[in-house]
C-alpha cells in the first residue's frame, strides 16, 4: 500500500488544531502518516501537539509565515503523495482512501476534492467549494493565463515529486502568505488534475454572522487580489527558471476580478456603479464571458446578477453583489 502524508501547518490555531489532527489520525487508509509543522506559535499549540506523542511526527520552527512553513513541509515529506491540511480545517475519514483510488487510476500531479464550508464551531453552513470543476489538462489553460477553479489548500492532494519542483518558494515580502497558490497552480505545469465531485473535508470560515462580500479567511478581498498579481509574477519566475515554461505576463481569474467589482460597486452610489460598469469593467466581463471553466448558464446568470448593480435601488444592488461574491449569501437567499 502506497503511504501518504498529511502535513498540518499550524500557527496559533490551538482552538482548532486538535480537530485537524484528529481528523488526519482518523483516516481509514492504514498507510497514512501525520506530520505537524508548527510555525513558531505563541499560544498553547506546542503543548497540544506534544500531547499526541508518537502518533504524529512534529517539527517546531521559528515563525516565518505560511510560505516558510510550506517550504519546510515539502522538504521533509518522505512519501510519494501528500495532503497539506490547514490547521483550522478537517478531513473526513475516507479522504485519503478516495484520493489514492484516483491517483492509482492514472498519472495525475494533483487530485482535488470539494470541501464543505463550516463555521467557527464546526457546524455545516450548507455550501461547498469550489463550484466549478476544471478539465484534467489545466496546465494548457494556465499557460494561457487562466487560473482554474480549485478548492482552498486543504482540498488538494499532490504528487510530491511535483511539489518538490515548485518549492522552495521565496519567503520575503508578499510571500509570507499564500503558499497554497504555488502548490495549486504550480503543479499543474507538471501533470494532469483529477477532480473528485464530492466533499471529503471541511473548510472553516471564521466570520459568517453578518452579510458580507468577504468569504476567504486569510486576507481581505482587495488585499488578497493585489497580492495575487505579485504571486503570479513569482510563479512566472519559478516556471521559467525551473521548468523552462513561459507563462503570460497577465492572468485571468474571476475571483480576482470579482474583488475589484465588489470594492467598487458594493455600498456605492448609483453614479459610481454606473461609471465602473461602463468604463472599468472590461476585465471583469472578460473573466465571465471567456471563462473556459463555466457553462453558458452560469455565464448568463452571473452577467444578469452583475447588471443588477446598475439598478437605482441600492439594497437590491448590494444583495446581488453579495450573492456573486459570497457562497454563504446564496445559502441565505435559498433559505428565505
Amino acid at each position: 500500500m502506497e503511504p501518504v502524508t498529511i502535513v498540518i501547518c499550524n500557527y496559533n490555531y490551538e482552538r482548532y488544531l486538535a480537530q485537524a489532527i484528529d481528523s488526519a489520525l482518523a483516516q481509514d487508509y492504514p498507510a497514512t502518516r501525520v506530520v505537524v509543522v508548527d510555525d513558531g506559535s505563541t499560544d498553547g499549540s506546542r503543548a497540544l501537539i506534544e500531547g499526541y506523542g508518537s502518533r504524529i511526527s512534529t517539527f517546531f520552527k521559528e515563525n516565518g509565515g505560511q510560505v516558510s512553513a510550506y517550504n519546510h513541509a515539502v522538504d521533509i515529506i518522505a512519501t510519494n503523495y501528500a495532503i497539506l491540511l490547514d490547521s483550522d480545517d478537517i478531513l473526513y475519514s475516507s479522504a485519503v482512501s478516495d484520493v489514492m483510488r484516483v491517483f492509482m487510476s492514472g498519472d495525475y500531479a494533483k487530485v482535488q476534492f470539494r470541501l464543505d464550508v463550516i463555521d467557527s464551531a464546526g457546524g455545516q453552513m450548507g455550501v461547498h467549494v469550489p463550484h466549478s470543476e476544471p478539465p484534467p489538462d489545466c496546465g494548457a489553460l494556465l499557460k494561457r493565463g487562466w487560473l482554474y477553479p480549485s478548492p482552498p489548500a486543504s482540498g488538494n492532494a499532490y504528487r510530491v515529486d511535483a511539489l518538490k519542483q515548485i518549492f522552495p518558494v521565496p519567503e520575503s515580502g508578499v510571500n509570507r502568505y499564500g503558499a497554497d497558490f504555488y502548490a495549486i497552480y504550480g503543479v499543474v505545469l507538471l501533470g494532469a488534475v483529477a477532480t473528485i465531485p464530492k466533499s471529503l473535508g471541511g473548510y472553516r470560515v471564521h466570520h459568517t454572522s453578518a452579510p458580507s462580500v468577504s468569504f476567504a479567511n486569510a486576507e481581505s478581498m482587495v488585499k488578497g487580489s493585489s497580492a495575487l498579481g505579485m504571486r503570479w509574477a513569482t510563479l512566472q519566475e519559478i516556471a521559467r527558471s525551473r521548468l523552462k515554461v513561459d507563462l503570460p505576463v497577465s492572468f485571468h481569474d474571476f475571483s480576482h476580478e470579482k474583488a475589484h467589482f465588489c470594492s467598487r460597486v458594493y455600498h456605492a452610489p448609483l453614479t459610481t456603479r454606473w461609471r465602473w460598469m461602463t468604463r472599468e469593467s472590461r476585465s471583469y466581463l472578460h473573466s465571465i464571458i471567456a471563462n473556459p471553466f463555466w457553462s453558458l448558464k452560469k455565464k448568463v446568470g452571473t452577467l444578469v446578477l452583475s447588471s443588477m448593480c446598475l439598478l437605482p435601488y441600492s439594497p437590491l444592488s448590494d444583495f446581488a453583489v453579495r450573492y456573486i461574491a459570497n457562497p454563504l449569501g446564496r445559502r441565505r437567499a435559498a433559505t428565505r
Side-chain angles (χ1 to χ4, degrees):
M1 179 175 282
E2 186 78 44
V4 178
T5 302
I6 299 175
V7 183
I8 302 170
C9 294
N10 174 68
Y11 176 67
N12 283 350
Y13 265 161
E14 174 193 8
R15 61 194 181 278
Y16 305 121
L17 180 57
Q19 296 175 49
I21 296 174
D22 290 345
S23 76
L25 290 172
Q27 292 301 303
D28 61 15
Y29 188 83
T32 302
R33 304 175 184 177
V34 181
V35 175
V36 178
V37 175
D38 187 80
D39 189 39
S41 293
T42 57
D43 60 2
S45 292
R46 182 169 189 133
L48 188 153
I49 293 167
E50 290 175 337
Y52 282 87
S54 62
R55 289 189 291 163
I56 62 175
S57 298
T58 58
F59 295 86
F60 298 98
K61 61 184 288 295
E62 293 184 0
N63 179 251
Q66 188 192 38
V67 168
S68 174
Y70 263 55
N71 283 342
H72 187 78
V74 172
D75 184 57
I76 64 176
I77 295 172
T79 56
N80 291 327
Y81 301 95
I83 295 174
L84 295 165
L85 176 64
D86 282 349
S87 56
D88 57 339
D89 294 339
I90 59 171
L91 294 174
Y92 300 157
S93 60
S94 68
V96 174
S97 294
D98 288 342
V99 161
M100 289 307 297
R101 193 174 299 114
V102 176
F103 268 128
M104 295 299 101
S105 71
D107 185 19
Y108 299 108
K110 193 189 94 161
V111 175
Q112 66 180 49
F113 46 88
R114 294 175 184 171
L115 295 172
D116 290 326
V117 178
I118 59 176
D119 61 23
S120 58
Q124 296 277 341
M125 299 297 293
V127 297
H128 64 261
V129 288
H131 303 285
S132 301
E133 296 179 9
D137 189 13
C138 298
L141 288 166
L142 191 72
K143 291 173 185 176
R144 289 165 44 196
W146 283 98
L147 302 187
Y148 69 93
S150 172
S154 303
N156 302 279
Y158 301 97
R159 203 178 67 220
V160 174
D161 66 340
L163 280 177
K164 288 182 182 289
Q165 293 185 66
I166 304 300
F167 290 85
V169 170
E171 299 176 9
S172 60
V174 69
N175 279 337
R176 279 185 61 85
Y177 308 102
D180 54 324
F181 175 88
Y182 301 103
I184 288 168
Y185 299 111
V187 298
V188 303
L189 298 172
L190 296 159
V193 170
T195 300
I196 298 175
K198 67 176 182 178
S199 295
L200 298 180
Y203 171 63
R204 195 181 307 270
V205 175
H206 300 280
H207 307 290
T208 59
S209 56
S212 170
V213 294
S214 180
F215 178 64
N217 291 316
E219 299 166 303
S220 69
M221 292 189 74
V222 175
K223 181 180 177 181
S225 177
S226 175
L228 196 61
M230 290 180 275
R231 289 173 188 143
W232 176 255
T234 301
L235 182 61
Q236 276 184 292
E237 178 56 32
I238 290 172
R240 183 183 306 113
S241 61
R242 301 180 195 174
L243 310 180
K244 310 306 178 187
V245 171
D246 289 322
L247 295 176
V249 174
S250 60
F251 63 90
H252 310 291
D253 178 55
F254 177 69
S255 294
H256 173 76
E257 298 299 337
K258 179 176 67 177
H260 292 289
F261 167 70
C262 294
S263 68
R264 295 304 304 274
V265 305
Y266 191 58
H267 289 332
L270 180 62
T271 54
T272 300
R273 289 182 266 139
W274 270 89
R275 185 182 304 113
W276 188 87
M277 286 295 291
T278 55
R279 300 180 184 179
E280 304 173 40
S281 63
R282 181 176 179 178
S283 294
Y284 173 76
L285 295 175
H286 180 265
S287 73
I288 299 172
I289 296 169
N291 196 309
F293 311 109
W294 286 12
S295 66
L296 178 60
K297 180 180 179 180
K298 184 170 182 178
K299 292 179 182 181
V300 172
T302 306
L303 288 171
V304 170
L305 282 167
S306 300
S307 69
M308 291 175 65
C309 78
L310 302 177
L311 298 175
Y313 186 56
S314 58
L316 185 57
S317 169
D318 290 340
F319 169 79
V321 176
R322 287 196 302 272
Y323 192 96
I324 292 171
N326 190 339
L328 297 178
R330 299 163 208 165
R331 180 189 65 85
R332 292 190 181 99
T335 56
R336 285 179 179 174

